[in-house]
Structures are given as structure tokens and as C-alpha cells.
């Protein structure tokens, strides 16, 4: 009984423990093994990347797009519209509840294409 109470108190005080929290934070809530393609915020600013991502979304409609909600609203809106145009489900990940207050860096992932439930056999490489 006392172990259950201690576990309950720890869970309420520290939050529930998660598997590979840094990996999930980096890949916008996904495990690396489920990620088909990940693009940094710096890469999203390159004008050539939009057409490349259009091709990727056309070829892989079975996946889901995850957009970093902490990047500029212009980028979020653009890539959200792109997912809608391809009829691809998407999620905007703002990661509320994390203790990270700093703005995202250019090397953080801004756009992730992943399978929400299954491991990816062959990731898409740029």
C-alpha cells in the first residue's frame, strides 16, 4: 500500500514518466523509428523545400505531418495549408507543459512526417 502511495505522490509531483522524452521532444512527439522524414526550421526557410515536400506528400499519403507550433506563425500556416491541400492529416505540436521557454533554434525540427503507430522500414532521405 505504501509503495502505491509513494508512486502516486511521485507521479503527481514529477509528472508521469515517459519513454525517451528527449527523442520525442526532438521529433515533435514521435519516436525516431516512426519518423519517415524530418526537416529543420532552417531548411523550411529554403524556397526549394516546399516543392520537395509537395512531392513527398503526394508519394506518402499514409503518414501524418507534425508541425512545430513554436516556430513563426507564417511557417506554421504555410505548411498547415500544404498538408490540407494534399489531404494529409497534421498536428501542430506546441508542446505545452514543457519547461522549455526559449524560442526554437534553426536546427530544431519544424516539420516531421511520421507514422503515428508503426515503425518506418525505409526513412525518406533528402
Amino acid at each position: 500500500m505504501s509503495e502505491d502511495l509513494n508512486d502516486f505522490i511521485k507521479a503527481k509531483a514529477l509528472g508521469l514518466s515517459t519513454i525517451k522524452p528527449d527523442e520525442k521532444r526532438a521529433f515533435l512527439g514521435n519516436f525516431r523509428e516512426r519518423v519517415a522524414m524530418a526537416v529543420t526550421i532552417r531548411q523550411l526557410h529554403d524556397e526549394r523545400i516546399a516543392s520537395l515536400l509537395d512531392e513527398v506528400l503526394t508519394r506518402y499519403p499514409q503518414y501524418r505531418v507534425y508541425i512545430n507550433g513554436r516556430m513563426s506563425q507564417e511557417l506554421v500556416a504555410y505548411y498547415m495549408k500544404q498538408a490540407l491541400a494534399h489531404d494529409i492529416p497534421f498536428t501542430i505540436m506546441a508542446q505545452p507543459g514543457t519547461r522549455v521557454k526559449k524560442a526554437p533554434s534553426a536546427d530544431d525540427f519544424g516539420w516531421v512526417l511520421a507514422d503515428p503507430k508503426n515503425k518506418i522500414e525505409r526513412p525518406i532521405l533528402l
Side-chain angles (χ1 to χ4, degrees), residues 25-26 28 38-47 49-50 53 66-76 79 93 95 102-112 126:
R25 197 172 11 262
L28 304 179
V39 182
T40 65
I41 295 172
R42 176 178 289 128
Q43 291 171 321
L44 291 175
H45 285 287
D46 186 339
E47 40 194 59
I49 199 75
L53 295 182
Y66 295 85
I67 300 169
N68 190 335
R70 295 176 56 228
M71 61 186 181
S72 73
Q73 291 306 304
E74 293 81 22
L75 280 177
V76 171
Y79 290 104
M93 299 296 293
Q95 299 174 336
K102 64 178 181 136
S105 77
D107 294 326
D108 288 341
F109 290 120
W111 187 95
V112 172
L126 290 177

Side-chain angles (χ1 to χ4, degrees), residues 87-115:
D87 200 27
I88 300 286
F90 67 92
T91 301
I92 298 172
M93 299 296 293
Q95 299 174 336
T98 60
R99 296 182 192 124
V100 179
K101 300 292 183 199
K102 64 178 181 136
S105 77
D107 294 326
D108 288 341
F109 290 120
W111 187 95
V112 172
L113 185 66
D115 189 322

